[in-house]
């Protein structure tokens, strides 16, 4: 039986002029709760939620076993978010950073205000939108075994999702500048291998005990055990410009988790996770996405992005085939290669519009709901 998977997406709320607008609380007050399956054994309730900033809104699918069902709910969540935004005269944009200048407005919750006070500019500039994929695991033992094995491949997921080339009105020089902004948090990025749930929990407790972060929920590893659900949560990706790319990430993340779980069950040793290489691979993926070489997890040497993505698919091929996802992943990857992905499209729109970033936001809003 297929593992369940769920996708959480964070979106910008933008006004008619393309700038982010601080209307999330107002929009959510007027929105209706989603109906659907139980949240048990997977991610999400289907409801709209607030994020750290008033200029953001978040969706979360129910746990799904079939990729078609996940794809449909990702689209439905985007439509539900737009319906809420409509009530306050805003639009929803699947942009991982705002192309236009902004001043973020922290949601007036005690925890968020504490973070803003404690982390200064890092918190005040944290208007970034990600895509998180939850994949069900049987227990923490399997979850840690998965975390210890999927790290080398996470940078490839970032490369597929890159969707934030602009920052405060300028081209950042990165395909995912969100990943650079997110890296400012003290617990962000790759983690070492843990071996056992006890070692994982000891590491998390140790980070909290430093007094640097507010609580366990601020352990922002690229992939972690969820504190809410019996899942591994893969957190490395930008929010994807189109729903199809988010669906692709869901399929590949589930393939990675299933492949890792099978390796652990077969007694295969976890790889030697060198965090300096993992971090460098993610930095490089965030810089160029699919437009230049990536670091191959097989050699830790540069290789064409197309080849490295092919290595990922080969790595999870058996799991994709058994889940019935292989053909869909092949088609979704083909479509992504044909457009170059979110960052490439934003830059192309920018050039076509003669440098008018408002047009980039306008076209991104349209692409969000395709």
């Amino acid at each position: 039986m297929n593992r369940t998977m769920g996708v959480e997406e964070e979106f910008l709320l933008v006004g008619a002029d393309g700038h982010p607008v601080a209307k999330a609380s107002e929009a959510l007050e007027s929105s209706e709760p989603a109906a659907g399956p139980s949240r048990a054994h997977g991610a999400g309730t289907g409801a709209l939620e607030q994020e750290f900033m008033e200029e953001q809104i978040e969706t979360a699918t129910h746990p799904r076993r079939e990729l078609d069902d996940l794809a449909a709910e990702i689209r439905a969540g985007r439509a539900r978010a737009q319906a809420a935004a409509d009530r306050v005269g805003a639009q929803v944009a699947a942009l991982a950073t705002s192309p236009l200048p902004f001043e973020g407005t922290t949601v007036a919750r005690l925890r968020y205000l504490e973070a803003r006070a404690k982390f200064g500019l890092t918190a005040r500039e944290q208007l970034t939108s990600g895509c998180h994929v939850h994949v069900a695991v049987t227990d923490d033992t399997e979850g840690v075994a998965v975390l210890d094995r999927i790290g080398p491949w996470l940078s490839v997921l970032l490369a597929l999702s890159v969707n934030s080339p602009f920052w405060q009105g300028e081209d950042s020089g990165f395909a995912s500048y969100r990943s650079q902004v997110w890296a400012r948090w003290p617990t962000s990025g790759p983690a070492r291998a843990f071996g056992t749930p006890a070692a994982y929990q000891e590491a998390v407790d140790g980070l909290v005990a430093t007094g640097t972060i507010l609580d366990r929920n601020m352990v922002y590893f690229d992939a972690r055990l969820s504190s809410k659900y019996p899942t591994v949560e893969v957190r490395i990706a930008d929010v994807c410009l189109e729903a199809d790319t988010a669906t692709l990430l869901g399929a590949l993340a589930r393939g990675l988790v299933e492949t890792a779980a099978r390796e652990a069950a077969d007694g295969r040793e976890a790889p030697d996770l060198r965090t300096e290489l993992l971090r460098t691979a993610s930095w490089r993926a965030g810089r160029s996405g699919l437009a230049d070489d990536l670091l191959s997890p097989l050699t830790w040497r540069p290789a064409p992005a197309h080849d490295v993505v092919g290595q990922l698919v080969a790595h999870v091929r058996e799991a994709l085939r058994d889940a019935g996802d292989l053909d869909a992943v092949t088609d979704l990857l083909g479509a992504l290669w044909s457009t170059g992905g979110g960052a490439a499209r934003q830059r192309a729109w920018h050039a076509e519009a003669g440098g008018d970033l408002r047009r980039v936001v306008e076209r991104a809003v349209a692409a969000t709901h395709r």
Side-chain angles (χ1 to χ4, degrees):
M1 184 179 294
N2 286 348
R3 295 174 186 269
T4 58
M5 54 189 163
V7 171
E8 298 170 348
E9 294 190 285
E10 300 160 354
F11 302 102
L12 295 183
L13 288 175
V14 298
D17 62 357
H19 288 269
V21 292
K23 294 189 175 182
S25 294
E26 185 181 352
L28 291 174
E29 283 177 4
S30 60
S31 66
E32 297 181 1
S38 165
R39 64 191 272 173
H41 207 64
T45 63
L48 301 177
E49 298 180 1
Q50 278 188 309
E51 252 302 318
F52 186 70
M53 295 288 195
E54 280 284 358
E55 293 85 358
Q56 288 176 288
I57 195 167
E58 181 181 45
T59 66
T61 73
H62 295 90
R64 297 295 187 183
R65 297 191 188 278
E66 301 302 324
L67 195 60
D68 285 348
D69 293 338
L70 182 70
E73 191 168 358
I74 288 170
R75 285 187 164 80
R78 291 179 174 215
R80 192 161 57 250
Q82 183 58 56
D86 285 341
R87 300 185 184 101
V88 294
Q91 293 179 301
V92 168
L95 292 166
T97 57
S98 171
L100 290 162
F102 69 89
E103 292 185 9
T105 310
T106 306
V107 170
R109 293 181 182 173
L110 179 59
R111 182 173 181 272
Y112 294 162
L113 295 175
E114 287 180 1
R116 183 183 177 95
K118 187 169 187 175
F119 292 96
L121 194 61
T122 292
R124 296 197 302 272
E125 289 193 336
Q126 201 53 240
L127 186 58
T128 64
S129 297
C131 176
H132 303 164
V133 181
H134 288 257
V135 182
V137 289
T138 56
D139 53 30
D140 284 354
T141 298
E142 183 178 69
V144 170
V146 166
L147 293 177
D148 288 352
R149 289 165 172 80
I150 65 175
W153 299 100
L154 296 181
S155 64
V156 190
L157 298 185
L158 173 60
L160 292 168
S161 73
V162 291
N163 188 31
S164 48
F166 299 107
W167 179 255
Q168 295 286 18
E170 297 183 11
D171 191 316
S172 68
F174 286 79
S176 169
Y177 196 66
R178 179 206 64 86
S179 62
Q180 293 292 303
V181 177
W182 189 254
R184 300 174 187 175
W185 294 107
T187 61
S188 65
R192 63 175 173 86
F194 296 103
T196 66
Y200 178 88
Q201 297 302 337
E202 181 181 2
V204 172
D205 290 342
L207 287 169
V208 176
T210 68
T212 305
I213 57 177
L214 299 181
D215 50 40
R216 298 170 66 86
N217 288 329
M218 284 194 72
V219 175
Y220 293 146
F221 299 153
D222 289 340
R224 68 184 184 183
L225 298 183
S226 172
S227 61
K228 294 182 179 180
Y229 312 111
T231 65
V232 163
E233 181 186 6
V234 177
R235 302 170 47 83
I236 197 169
D238 281 9
V239 71
C240 301
L241 185 63
E242 293 192 337
D244 278 351
T245 311
T247 303
L248 173 64
L249 286 182
L252 290 172
R254 178 165 69 174
L256 279 171
V257 170
E258 177 62 23
T259 299
R262 291 179 184 184
E263 289 175 348
D266 290 342
R268 295 177 57 183
E269 291 293 325
D272 178 19
L273 297 185
R274 296 175 56 184
T275 54
E276 71 274 16
L277 287 176
L278 298 179
R279 186 176 296 278
T280 300
S282 294
W283 188 94
R284 190 156 183 162
R287 184 186 65 181
S288 57
L290 301 176
D292 201 349
D293 288 353
L294 300 172
L295 292 187
S296 165
L298 302 181
T299 65
W300 297 116
R301 296 294 184 270
H306 192 281
D307 293 352
V308 177
V309 172
Q311 291 167 4
L312 168 61
V313 174
H315 177 68
V316 299
R317 182 179 299 276
E318 183 177 325
L320 293 177
R321 186 194 63 221
D322 292 348
D325 294 344
L326 183 56
D327 288 345
V329 164
T330 301
D331 291 343
L332 291 168
L333 276 172
L336 186 62
W337 281 113
S338 70
T339 65
R345 292 177 71 188
Q346 285 191 56
R347 285 187 167 123
W349 295 337
H350 184 240
E352 291 169 10
D356 187 349
L357 288 170
R358 293 172 299 177
R359 288 286 294 151
V360 174
V361 176
E362 180 181 321
R363 296 186 71 169
V365 168
T368 298
H369 302 289
R370 288 196 185 116

